[in-house]
DNA sequence: ATTACTAGTGTACGAGTAG
DNA sequence: TCTACTCGTACACTAGTAA
């Protein structure tokens, strides 16, 4: 006996997820088998076959439409994708909702500090965190491997989105942040993700100059509580 | 040429997700290849091979431990699982954050009504929705297929968890609900999921007796706004 | 352009089994 | 019990190509 046929194959599942990413959840999405294949890293022919298989299994509706296909998940497909998503969310969001970081104060690259200093971010930050940040960040260098791993969780946690803005000259993108606490001060942590290198740095903002308020010097140890929601 | 080897195979991905569900994100998890195989719907031998492949790819750490194996995701594995999750979340949470339901008032099975009438739920509901519910629910029968599909989204949306309680005799489980509005009244919608049949029913609660307040009779049409977050 | 057939091939699988 | 080897097979894939 091969496999319980009532269970979707990994191929079916990943194809379904890809279709969800393409927006085939609510309404029909226009997709060609070559584009789908490209997105999945397989050939056009294999993508075509996968769609046919998904249709056989009652997971998608498939109709020829102009140059390509119009595809939409059926109720069964949505159920499958939805429970897969719900399961994964349960797995990813398990654990503490509050992370304590410990690291060492360092000057940093003033990247976050630059953004916080822009007056256009004041209102968005007030809405997101409940305070207007002091124009400068407290940078912590994370050395312990456990801390770096913990930092990585912030990449994939939802966080709070601070919307971007334009000032006429250029546009400033949205920033993901988290509510936090440093010592007795209400604070926020910025999750600006550019490179994997960033996982050793934690950037905190607060209504006050944290460095001065807590009398922190370069290299001092410091801890930050981050609230995941 | 087969496939771009830098991309995980569907098999690798689903195995990784299963490991995440088993809690291999933060710390090592004790798992036997047969149990993993069972969870994945494959044989013990295949599960063993998949773990070896994942280790080869640098996605998990694997160590023999007593009777079975101790498995943990590496940084690369967490990154992969995390971005997969983030992508899927983006896909699933796309669309309106506010759903408008339209259906017909009917007597219902009084299931939700029974729960709301229990005094032990009063405080949890107050915390979750901001009001103590009138002991009875307004039941809407959804007939339009679009409404039923929309109703299905509530199954997989996160919602607000109303914690359960014990009253000495028995324990009452947690209930998922959403903030909502019926006419001019602040309300809530209960998402008690027992069977797929439930997707044609929407159960609303409010601080007042909605049926009386809105002068609704059996079979009257009525609409409910549900807020997904 | 497309979709999707056919043919041939690599591989993931289950079964059996050793350590 | 466990893990994980070998082996034979079923199948998902790529390539070629028709419509």
């Amino acid at each position: 006996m091969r496999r319980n046929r009532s269970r979707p194959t990994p191929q079916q599942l990943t194809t379904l997820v890809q279709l969800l990413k393409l927006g085939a959840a609510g309404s029909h999405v226009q997709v060609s088998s070559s584009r789908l294949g490209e997105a999945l890293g397989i050939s056009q022919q294999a993508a075509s076959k996968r769609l046919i298989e998904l249709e056989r299994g009652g997971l998608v509706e498939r109709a020829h439409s102009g140059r390509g296909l119009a595809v939409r998940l059926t109720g069964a497909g949505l159920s499958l994708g939805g429970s897969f998503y719900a399961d994964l969310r349960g797995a990813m969001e398990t654990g503490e909702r509050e992370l304590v970081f410990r690291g060492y104060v360092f000057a940093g690259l003033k990247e976050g500090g630059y953004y916080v200093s822009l007056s256009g971010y004041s209102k968005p930050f007030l809405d997101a965190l409940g305070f207007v940040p002091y124009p400068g960040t407290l940078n912590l260098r994370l050395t312990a491997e456990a801390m770096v791993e913990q930092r990585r969780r912030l990449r994939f946690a939802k966080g709070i989105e601070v919307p971007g803005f334009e000032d006429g000259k250029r546009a400033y993108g949205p920033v993901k942040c988290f509510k936090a606490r440093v010592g007795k001060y209400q604070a926020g942590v910025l999750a600006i993700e550019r490179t994997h290198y960033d996982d050793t740095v934690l950037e905190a903002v607060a209504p006050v100059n944290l460095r001065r308020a807590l009398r922190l010097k370069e290299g001092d140890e410091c801890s930050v509580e981050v609230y995941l929601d």
Side-chain angles (χ1 to χ4, degrees), chain A:
Chain A
M1 174 191 41
R2 192 156 138 53
R3 161 193 301 246
N4 184 351
R5 276 284 137 193
S6 73
R7 186 192 294 261
T9 66
Q11 285 83 357
Q12 286 180 314
L13 209 52
T14 48
T15 310
L16 216 57
V17 167
Q18 186 59 52
L19 288 171
L20 279 169
K21 289 184 193 169
L22 294 173
S27 53
H28 287 272
V29 69
Q30 186 71 20
V31 67
S32 74
S33 56
S34 30
R35 283 201 58 76
L36 179 62
E38 204 175 324
L40 288 166
I42 59 178
S43 68
Q44 170 269 317
Q45 295 90 330
S48 172
K49 201 142 173 280
R50 283 199 187 176
L51 282 175
I52 293 170
E53 285 303 314
L54 284 178
E55 190 182 41
R56 285 235 174 83
L59 298 173
V60 305
E61 286 170 14
R62 199 171 119 275
H64 292 265
S65 157
R67 281 216 193 310
L69 297 166
V71 179
R72 181 172 78 144
L73 269 67
T74 62
L78 282 169
S79 280
L80 188 59
S83 30
F84 181 72
Y85 168 60
D87 280 359
L88 185 55
R89 184 178 56 208
M92 293 299 289
E93 293 189 357
T94 290
E96 332 79 54
R97 309 305 300 150
E98 184 184 325
L99 302 176
V100 179
F101 288 91
R102 184 154 271 274
Y104 301 91
V105 175
F106 80 115
L109 302 167
K110 312 272 188 196
E111 282 195 293
Y114 171 65
Y115 286 106
V116 195
S117 71
L118 297 168
S119 60
Y121 273 121
S122 295
K123 177 69 165 57
F125 266 114
L126 177 60
D127 292 340
L129 295 172
F131 60 84
V132 174
Y134 169 86
T137 62
L138 177 71
N139 294 284
L140 254 55
R141 170 73 66 193
L142 306 175
T143 51
E145 180 53 30
M147 290 294 118
V148 179
E149 280 197 24
Q150 201 172 250
R151 171 67 179 79
R152 197 158 21 220
R153 286 187 60 177
L154 297 186
R155 280 181 178 272
F156 310 115
K158 192 170 185 184
I160 305 166
E161 183 173 294
V162 180
F165 67 95
E166 287 183 57
D167 69 352
K169 293 183 218 154
R170 55 160 286 195
Y172 296 87
V175 178
K176 187 168 81 172
C177 69
F178 297 86
K179 291 191 180 179
R181 175 164 290 274
V182 184
K184 66 179 179 184
Y185 297 100
Q186 179 187 20
V189 158
L190 306 182
I192 305 170
E193 316 291 2
R194 256 181 284 279
T195 67
H196 278 266
Y197 169 81
D198 293 338
D199 284 339
T200 65
V201 178
L202 197 74
E203 261 184 317
V205 295
V208 299
N209 181 340
L210 285 171
R211 209 156 161 149
R212 185 179 303 158
L214 296 167
R215 301 182 206 287
L216 293 166
K217 300 185 306 295
E218 185 81 6
D220 279 359
E221 198 169 10
C222 176
S223 65
V224 176
E225 289 173 51
V226 176
Y227 308 108
L228 293 184
D229 46 15

